[in-house]
Amino acid sequence: MAGGATVPRRIGAVSGFADEAQVHVKAGNGGAGSVSFRREAHVSRGGPDGGDGGDGGDVWLVASTNQASLLGFRDHPHRAATDGKHGQGKKRHGPRGQGLEVPVPVGTTVRGPDGSVLADLAAAGDRWLAAAGGRGGRGNARFLTNRRRAPGFAEQGEAGEERWLDLELKLLADVALVGLPNSGKSTLISRISAARPKVAAYPFTTLEPHLGVVRVGRPGDEVEFVVADVPGLVEGAAEGKGLGHRFLRHVERARALVVLLDLAPADAMPASEQERILLSELGRYRSELLERPRLVVGSKADVALGPVEGDPELTISAVTGTGISQLLVRLAAMVVEARAAEAMPNRSVVIHRPVSDEIEIARAEDGSFVVLGRPALRAVALSDLNDHDAVDYVQSRLRRLGVERALVRAGVRDGDVVHLGALSFTYQRDEGVDAAVAPTPVPEIRRGGRRGKGAQR
């Protein structure tokens, strides 16, 4: 990078920016299994031939370099996959629902309603399953056994997952400009890139971050990096004062920091005090930010009078261009060194815990028992629980899953109400059978307001 070859080339900017949004994701429901029997001439008992329902489509969040903002979720937050189709006779299975990939900007953090981090999509191509499609129900052909020759029931499809998620974008910039309000950050980024933030002579002119892309050096031996103009910080920003965390989070991923000090004599605060405040806020927000490569730069050198207080490593003027070339050379070197020091790119950090397949028993506020776990929910997702064979299958399936044992360990007694999905069971143990081994939880089944007597054992 010889002198005279460091003139920046303005090649990009970001506008219409939003760094916070909510998204409602709805996976497709599974299709229902079919209850059907083979009907052909000269075949008196063709047997069951109901096909399976198709699985519902999944909803994925995918980090994409084609997205620069969360603005598209502000007015249109809903994203839904399609449902699986129902099964049909002649063992025709329903097709799977179409999944949906939702592109989000690289650097998007996904949080649940309680604020917990579910996924960090920090690199292009990172994917996270935001909502899983419901499993399709099995047709009655699946329930054929030597003892059950004509099953008159099938499984309903599972409902797809549905929830609201909070999206938060942390900019992926090589260099972040950090300074107090009205310290010249916007003027500087407009000088070195094509970004055009609002510039005015009053604090908090910039209310949203801006990105500018800069190329430094001769063609073929140039360095390209992204600079972020982060809105001005104030003392107490780490505790949320001003717009606190909304601004500071955009500094987290920057490879290098430029601490910009205002040298204009009209501002009463000395440069040394500005530096103290800025470094203090960075350290209080994330202590590791103080370990990032940083360059302390004095701005507005064209209006500075007398010796500069503090210890800026460079003094520049974005208006006259003084010191800009030297600044870009230093920044390019810092970025190259920081990139080389990275052992591996950031990958998706997913701490989402999927729905457990283990059987668990919880107590409701009214003292009733709630059975949790997908296998148990699937066991009762049948088309007709008034059918004798269906009830017999449910009891047998729940026993094999260990639901009865789990209820006994949880302290269930005769007459207690047990909830399992949309169903309610009145617990009753078999006479003459050790309740700790094989209690039977069903003489009565209620579903959707209708009541039907289940099989008494």
Side-chain angles (χ1 to χ4, degrees), residues 213-369:
V213 183
V214 181
R215 283 179 179 169
V216 179
R218 299 179 182 278
D221 188 28
E222 59 191 356
V223 176
E224 179 180 303
F225 56 92
V226 178
V227 179
D229 168 21
V230 180
L233 302 179
V234 296
E235 192 167 11
E239 283 75 42
K241 187 176 180 181
L243 292 178
H245 292 176
R246 287 190 58 189
F247 292 170
L248 280 167
R249 70 163 174 261
H250 294 299
V251 182
E252 288 187 38
R253 302 187 195 273
R255 291 185 170 96
L257 305 177
V258 171
V259 178
L260 207 60
L261 309 178
D262 188 354
L263 304 181
D267 297 318
M269 186 179 295
S272 57
E273 180 65 8
Q274 297 178 46
E275 182 178 359
R276 183 196 67 78
I277 291 175
L278 293 171
L279 295 182
S280 174
E281 295 303 321
L282 291 174
R284 290 162 66 187
Y285 179 69
R286 291 282 189 275
S287 59
E288 60 268 22
L289 291 176
L290 298 179
E291 302 175 2
R292 301 280 173 86
R294 68 172 180 263
L295 185 63
V296 181
V297 178
S299 68
K300 304 181 182 179
D302 54 310
V303 295
L305 300 175
V308 176
E309 293 189 25
D311 190 25
E313 301 173 56
L314 285 175
T315 57
I316 65 168
S317 170
V319 175
T320 65
T322 302
I324 296 297
S325 294
Q326 293 88 333
L327 172 64
L328 294 176
V329 170
R330 293 285 297 273
L331 293 181
M334 291 170 64
V335 170
V336 169
E337 183 177 355
R339 289 173 177 172
E342 292 180 353
M344 59 185 301
N346 291 330
R347 301 305 304 161
S348 175
V349 180
V350 179
I351 62 173
H352 170 62
R353 293 167 177 81
V355 177
S356 174
D357 280 344
E358 298 293 329
I359 301 299
E360 299 178 4
I361 307 297
R363 293 296 295 270
E365 293 182 359
D366 60 1
S368 61
F369 293 80

Side-chain angles (χ1 to χ4, degrees), residues 11-31:
I11 63 172
V14 175
S15 61
F17 186 82
D19 57 3
E20 289 181 338
Q22 287 187 317
V23 61
H24 178 267
V25 290
K26 173 64 174 73
N29 299 326

Side-chain angles (χ1 to χ4, degrees), residues 42-285:
H42 312 297
V43 179
S44 58
R45 298 181 180 181
D49 66 352
D52 300 340
D55 295 340
D58 301 326
V59 179
W60 293 81
L61 299 185
V62 182
S64 171
T65 55
N66 294 327
Q67 301 293 317
S69 170
L70 299 173
L71 192 63
F73 295 97
R74 287 288 179 88
D75 297 326
H76 305 283
H78 297 277
R79 302 291 188 274
T82 60
D83 298 336
K85 301 300 183 182
H86 301 320
Q88 301 181 50
K90 299 183 179 179
K91 295 185 179 181
R92 289 176 294 180
H93 303 317
R96 181 186 180 92
Q98 185 175 357
L100 179 66
E101 291 189 353
V102 181
V104 296
V106 176
T108 297
T109 299
V110 185
R111 296 182 181 273
D114 60 353
S116 60
V117 176
L118 303 181
D120 187 7
L121 306 177
D126 282 351
R127 297 163 53 87
W128 179 68
L129 182 60
R135 195 191 69 169
R138 293 177 294 175
N140 68 332
R142 298 283 191 176
F143 297 96
L144 175 66
T145 65
N146 289 333
R147 296 180 59 187
R148 190 188 303 119
R149 304 303 299 173
F153 61 92
E155 280 183 337
Q156 298 294 324
E158 288 183 334
E161 291 184 336
E162 179 178 7
R163 55 181 168 173
W164 283 94
L165 299 169
D166 293 325
L167 303 181
E168 180 183 280
L169 176 59
K170 299 177 182 179
L171 292 181
L172 292 174
D174 296 295
V175 178
L177 304 180
V178 180
L180 297 180
N182 206 34
S183 59
K185 301 183 299 299
S186 297
T187 305
L188 176 58
I189 197 171
S190 65
R191 174 86 187 199
I192 64 177
S193 75
R196 287 295 177 265
K198 182 178 180 181
V199 178
Y202 55 83
F204 293 110
T205 306
T206 302
L207 295 178
E208 60 186 35
H210 294 83
L211 293 179
V213 183
V214 181
R215 283 179 179 169
V216 179
R218 299 179 182 278
D221 188 28
E222 59 191 356
V223 176
E224 179 180 303
F225 56 92
V226 178
V227 179
D229 168 21
V230 180
L233 302 179
V234 296
E235 192 167 11
E239 283 75 42
K241 187 176 180 181
L243 292 178
H245 292 176
R246 287 190 58 189
F247 292 170
L248 280 167
R249 70 163 174 261
H250 294 299
V251 182
E252 288 187 38
R253 302 187 195 273
R255 291 185 170 96
L257 305 177
V258 171
V259 178
L260 207 60
L261 309 178
D262 188 354
L263 304 181
D267 297 318
M269 186 179 295
S272 57
E273 180 65 8
Q274 297 178 46
E275 182 178 359
R276 183 196 67 78
I277 291 175
L278 293 171
L279 295 182
S280 174
E281 295 303 321
L282 291 174
R284 290 162 66 187
Y285 179 69

